Amino acid sequence: MSAGDTTGQFFRTLGRTSARIGWRHLIGVAVLGVGLLLAPVVGWTSVLVALGLLVAGYLAVDSIEIVQAYERRPYTVLGKFEGMLGPGINVVIPLVTETHVFDIRTQTIEVPTQEAITRDNSPVRADAVVYLSVVDAEKTFLEVEAYRQAVAYLAQTSLRAVIGDMELDDTLSRREEMNDRIHDQLDDTVAEWGVDVEAVEVKSVMPSDGVVAAMERQTAAERHRRAMILEAQGSRKAAVERALGEKEAAILRAEGRKRASILEAQGDATATVLRAKAAEAMGERALIERGFEALEHVGRGAATTYVVPQELTSLVGRYGRHLADDGTGSGLDSLGVDLAYVDFDDIVETPANAEEVEIEIE
């Protein structure tokens, strides 16, 4: 072994030894020095007694280990692992026993900002928080040195690996998937260290400035496109609604004109029929009145047999039935003819093809 290697080994051993020296060791060395200085003055006996009492007190204190409820302490005796110290007061061998404190409560580790490139070649910056706890202090003590630092380094590499395996849009929108993938990668490794990764939360993923500017332009263009589509759809719907309104209005107007024409035609037809019936009624009435006047004139004569046209007998019969249905006698009264002396039972009508009928009056 060369001189350089020997010197290096010496300093490394000195460093490990100094790391094991605690405040109690320094106090013991200081008390021993003070006793040696006072020995010529107070006497060696007194100094030795005092030093003995101090050493006994020191050994008594050094043999007691008080462990908190949230701690687990693996301990070694002369460098050999002996077991775990549970919560409460524990008695150990003084001077040769070393204990190591592990907090089993949930701890947080900040993962510093990492720069990575996504699968579609977009640079991003991301950071995260890891929540972990020590579940097996023996494994943590024997399997890993500085477990918090080891988990932090592993989380950094896992974060960069996950980002490199995803596209930019996925890193911005699929945050839960990123958390699960980082958690799975960490949990597979740190389980061998007696450490449990409870959760991983990616706090932020920030693309580079150039990518952010491009995304803003893309978002603005997409919003403009959607606005134009909505405007075109609105115009089309408005035109359709206007056309439907105009169509319904035209149909209603045509239906109105049709109904008006029908009603007008029906009115004209009804008026024509009524005028025709009125004219017919007036003609029949005039004929009947003339016939009654003729009968009255004939009745004053001496003859007993008269020849009456068939049409006159038909009109007299129809007019008589009208008077029987009405019961008011207004029709005959308006004729100004008195039929009280005319017996219609004596009227004998000849067959329909005869042009004249004979009426015999007794």
Side-chain angles (χ1 to χ4, degrees):
M1 182 180 294
S2 63
D5 294 337
T6 304
T7 304
Q9 182 68 28
F10 170 75
F11 281 110
R12 283 194 294 272
T13 304
L14 180 63
R16 287 194 294 268
T17 303
S18 61
R20 296 191 183 98
I21 297 175
W23 60 272
R24 292 178 293 180
H25 301 91
L26 296 177
I27 292 176
V29 173
V31 170
L32 179 60
V34 171
L36 293 176
L37 292 175
L38 294 177
V41 179
V42 298
W44 286 98
T45 303
S46 300
V47 171
L48 292 176
V49 172
L51 289 177
L53 293 175
L54 290 174
V55 170
Y58 172 77
L59 292 177
V61 172
D62 193 56
S63 64
I64 296 175
E65 288 286 341
I66 299 177
V67 181
Q68 301 296 328
Y70 53 84
E71 293 178 345
R72 297 294 182 271
R73 293 190 183 184
Y75 69 98
T76 60
V77 178
L78 296 177
K80 181 181 178 181
F81 176 75
E82 294 293 340
M84 302 291 298
L85 299 179
I89 299 176
N90 299 271
V91 179
V92 298
I93 302 174
L95 299 179
V96 295
T97 302
E98 287 189 48
T99 61
H100 304 268
V101 180
F102 289 92
D103 194 332
I104 62 173
R105 294 175 294 183
T106 300
Q107 307 170 48
T108 59
I109 297 178
E110 291 280 346
V111 180
T113 302
Q114 303 295 310
E115 294 185 358
I117 298 178
T118 61
R119 189 168 59 186
D120 53 352
N121 298 323
S122 298
V124 297
R125 297 185 300 273
D127 55 359
V129 179
V130 179
Y131 297 88
L132 57 85
S133 60
V134 177
V135 295
D136 191 343
E138 180 179 348
K139 282 187 176 182
T140 306
F141 173 66
L142 296 176
E143 299 294 336
V144 64
E145 180 182 6
Y147 70 93
R148 289 177 57 88
Q149 186 176 8
V151 172
Y153 288 153
L154 184 60
Q156 293 176 24
T157 56
S158 299
L159 177 60
R160 290 195 297 269
V162 169
I163 292 176
D165 196 37
M166 300 177 68
E167 295 184 356
L168 177 62
D169 294 339
D170 295 337
T171 60
L172 298 176
S173 60
R174 301 166 63 178
R175 192 68 56 85
E176 292 296 330
E177 181 180 347
M178 293 181 63
N179 295 338
D180 294 339
R181 292 178 63 177
I182 296 173
H183 179 274
D184 293 340
Q185 292 184 15
L186 291 178
D187 202 37
D188 293 340
T189 302
V190 302
E192 300 178 358
W193 301 343
V195 178
D196 177 45
V197 177
E198 298 179 357
V200 178
E201 293 292 336
V202 177
K203 294 195 298 183
S204 64
V205 177
M206 181 59 64
S208 63
D209 296 338
V211 175
V212 171
M215 292 174 63
E216 290 178 352
R217 292 194 299 270
Q218 180 182 1
T219 303
E222 180 65 20
R223 290 177 179 175
H224 181 65
R225 183 183 68 84
R226 291 181 181 178
M228 293 181 64
I229 291 175
L230 291 176
E231 183 178 358
Q233 290 178 349
S235 300
R236 182 174 63 85
K237 289 182 179 180
V240 171
E241 292 296 331
R242 284 195 300 269
L244 291 176
E246 293 175 356
K247 175 183 176 182
E248 292 180 359
I251 292 173
L252 292 176
R253 287 193 296 268
E255 186 69 21
R257 289 194 298 268
K258 174 184 175 183
R259 292 184 179 180
S261 300
I262 292 173
L263 292 176
E264 184 178 358
Q266 290 177 348
D268 293 341
T270 303
T272 302
V273 171
L274 291 177
R275 286 194 297 270
K277 288 185 177 181
E280 181 181 0
M282 291 178 66
E284 290 180 353
R285 182 171 179 174
L287 182 59
I288 291 172
E289 289 179 354
R290 295 292 299 275
F292 282 160
E293 291 176 358
L295 288 175
E296 183 180 1
H297 180 73
V298 171
R300 293 190 184 101
T304 58
T305 302
Y306 306 96
V307 178
V308 181
Q310 183 181 357
E311 289 80 2
L312 180 59
T313 60
S314 299
L315 290 174
V316 171
R318 186 166 60 250
Y319 199 70
R321 287 193 298 272
H322 174 70
L323 292 178
D325 294 336
D326 189 15
T328 59
S330 59
L332 293 176
D333 293 341
S334 62
L335 295 176
V337 179
D338 187 4
L339 299 180
Y341 300 103
V342 179
D343 189 0
F344 288 97
D345 294 334
D346 296 334
I347 299 176
V348 180
E349 185 174 355
T350 60
N353 56 358
E355 296 181 358
E356 295 181 352
V357 296
E358 296 181 355
I359 299 176
E360 182 179 358
I361 297 178
E362 295 180 356

